[in-house]
Amino acid sequence: MTNLEYNVRKCYETAPFPDNLRNAKNFEIELKRTVNWITLNLKFLSPELLIFKPRTILCAGCGTGEEAISLAKIYPKSKITAIDISNTSLLIAKQNTKKAKVKNIILKKCSIIEDLPKLKKQYDFVYSAGVIHHLSDPKLGFEILRTKINKNGKMVIMLY
């Protein structure tokens, strides 16, 4: 693990992000808001994404699971693999997933650069928001994510 990735993991171990669901006064209202936000983002990127029926989704850098849970609500028949490098974030993601009553998410501790290339699986949809700019080599991270898309798959990468 590079120094940058170590520092990023350390940061998210102490300050998991996003943390809107866990801290919400009303979990259901905040969950609906989050799902609506992700739906609007997908519609803005390409309305086709909302009629797309991916069987498998990779959510790379899932943090506390809010985006993975939203994807599970938007694509309820999909099997979602949600990965992150932070144990704390994954623990919160597990709690949020249980509270949101979604059963189509598998959470895994996984580094995009170090671990993901070892996994042979490809996905119908690869989604990553606000993640690859934290990598020691964002271009390599992008290329690794690109290799995880199957022949007719789609990928959404968002940066801020």
Side-chain angles (χ1 to χ4, degrees), residues 14-15 25 29 40 62 85 127 131:
T14 57
K25 289 180 182 174
I29 289 172
L40 283 172
C62 69
I85 61 170
Y127 178 94
V131 175

Side-chain angles (χ1 to χ4, degrees), residues 2 22 25 30 32 34 36-37 45 48 51 59 77 79 82 87 91 97 103 106-107 133 137 146:
T2 68
R22 183 173 66 148
K25 289 180 182 174
E30 186 62 27
K32 186 175 182 178
T34 303
N36 286 341
W37 177 250
L45 292 169
E48 175 186 317
I51 58 171
C59 183
K77 294 184 178 180
K79 292 182 180 172
N87 289 319
L91 178 63
T97 300
K103 305 223 186 272
I106 296 169
L107 299 163
H133 58 278
D137 187 342
R146 189 185 59 75

Side-chain angles (χ1 to χ4, degrees), residues 97-139:
T97 300
K98 185 177 181 179
K99 198 167 181 180
K101 299 178 182 123
V102 291
K103 305 223 186 272
N104 56 334
I105 297 175
I106 296 169
L107 299 163
K108 289 185 178 184
K109 184 172 182 182
C110 182
S111 161
I112 291 171
I113 290 181
E114 292 182 12
D115 303 320
L116 200 53
K118 298 172 194 166
L119 302 176
K120 302 296 180 206
K121 185 167 176 133
Q122 289 188 309
Y123 300 85
D124 297 326
F125 187 28
V126 173
Y127 178 94
S128 184
V131 175
I132 66 171
H133 58 278
H134 290 304
L135 302 176
S136 59
D137 187 342
K139 184 177 178 185

Side-chain angles (χ1 to χ4, degrees), residues 133-152:
H133 58 278
H134 290 304
L135 302 176
S136 59
D137 187 342
K139 184 177 178 185
L140 175 61
F142 180 84
E143 288 301 318
I144 290 167
L145 290 174
R146 189 185 59 75
T147 68
K148 297 301 165 187
I149 308 166
N150 70 24
K151 183 180 175 188
N152 296 313

